[in-house]
Amino acid sequence: MRVVIAEDSVLLREGLTRLLTDLGHDVVAGVGDAEALIATVGELAAQDALPDVVVADVRMPPTHTDEGVRAAVRLRKEYPGIGVLVLSQYVEEQYATELLAGSSRGVGYLLKDRVADVREFVDAVVRVAQGGTALDPEVVAQLLGRSRKQDVLAGLTPREREVLGLMAEGRTNSAVAKQLVVSDGAVEKHVSNIFQKLGLSPSDGDHRRVLAVLTYLNS
């Protein structure tokens, strides 16, 4: 896959570049601020060479507040086909909500600590590049925690909430079954119940997994 990395820490940026390159991926650009990220993607678009995914820090120069996530949201609007995975030192609920408020395809939000698990991080980048979702478990916990206050999850059983949390991290049914030490059939039944209780019909297609989370965010 073709990747653009936006991270103001040169050490981390070079580390991510080396990691992805060693695994056979093509890091087509590495930049240190949000303006450079937007400009670089624009140049690649002009060359009909858009990347598959952008990996960006939430906070970048000059103010180190929300430049990175603002750029990510903008890129998702201007180039819907690009996956966007943002990295953050902490769970920043407002930014996660804003990032997830648009299309449900190709989006991820991970804590930087997750980068230490090389396999998990690379799997997340690939999943987002392919149009999937990758949400850090801590992000999911906070977003679902806020949703509980609004009684959006009132109809779900504790096990269904647990399954939903793992789904929102981007795990497949098989991965959920392995994590919970239950059968695939049991997970499929839980997932079906979750969709039904949240009013997500089969016509919503494969994105029901992400819509299950977005339902809470938009309620």
Side-chain angles (χ1 to χ4, degrees):
M1 61 184 174
R2 291 165 48 81
V3 187
V4 170
I5 298 175
E7 167 60 58
D8 63 297
S9 168
V10 176
L11 183 61
L12 180 54
R13 186 169 72 241
E14 292 301 319
L16 293 177
T17 298
R18 178 64 180 273
L19 170 63
L20 292 168
T21 300
D22 285 351
L23 291 173
H25 302 296
D26 184 10
V27 178
V28 296
V31 299
D33 61 70
E35 289 187 3
L37 170 60
I38 292 173
T40 297
V41 173
E43 292 171 2
L44 291 171
Q47 301 167 17
D48 196 23
L50 282 172
D52 299 303
V53 61
V54 168
V55 178
D57 191 355
V58 165
R59 301 186 177 197
M60 288 195 289
T63 68
H64 292 279
T65 54
D66 62 356
E67 285 88 349
V69 74
R70 295 292 179 192
V73 171
R74 176 175 170 179
L75 290 175
R76 278 174 57 75
K77 291 179 180 178
E78 295 184 5
Y79 309 102
I82 298 179
V84 174
L85 173 63
V86 300
L87 302 176
S88 179
Q89 193 69 40
Y90 311 101
V91 179
E92 300 178 86
E93 188 175 312
Q94 177 183 349
Y95 299 154
T97 301
E98 184 171 3
L99 187 68
L100 292 165
S103 169
S104 61
R105 288 185 55 83
V107 62
Y109 189 114
L110 295 181
L111 296 184
K112 287 188 174 180
D113 288 347
R114 202 67 54 187
V115 179
D117 188 327
V118 173
R119 181 175 180 179
E120 186 172 345
F121 171 70
V122 175
D123 285 348
V125 177
V126 172
R127 190 160 62 244
V128 171
Q130 295 175 341
T133 308
L135 298 181
D136 194 282
E138 291 298 322
V139 175
V140 173
Q142 287 204 24
L143 296 180
L144 296 187
R146 184 185 70 175
S147 299
R148 289 189 185 97
K149 298 175 184 178
Q150 300 171 355
D151 291 328
V152 178
L153 302 182
L156 301 185
T157 67
R159 175 61 92 180
E160 288 167 352
R161 294 186 186 190
E162 192 173 11
V163 170
L164 179 56
L166 294 171
M167 286 167 52
E169 291 172 28
R171 298 175 189 257
T172 63
N173 284 4
S174 295
V176 172
K178 183 177 180 181
Q179 178 71 21
L180 299 180
V181 194
V182 298
S183 69
D184 287 358
V187 172
E188 290 175 3
K189 183 176 180 179
H190 286 312
V191 171
S192 177
N193 289 339
I194 290 168
F195 291 157
Q196 182 178 5
K197 291 179 180 180
L198 295 181
L200 300 173
S201 67
S203 63
D204 293 317
D206 295 336
H207 301 317
R208 286 190 296 176
R209 300 180 78 86
V210 178
L211 290 173
V213 175
L214 296 181
T215 297
Y216 309 142
L217 300 180
N218 294 327
S219 63

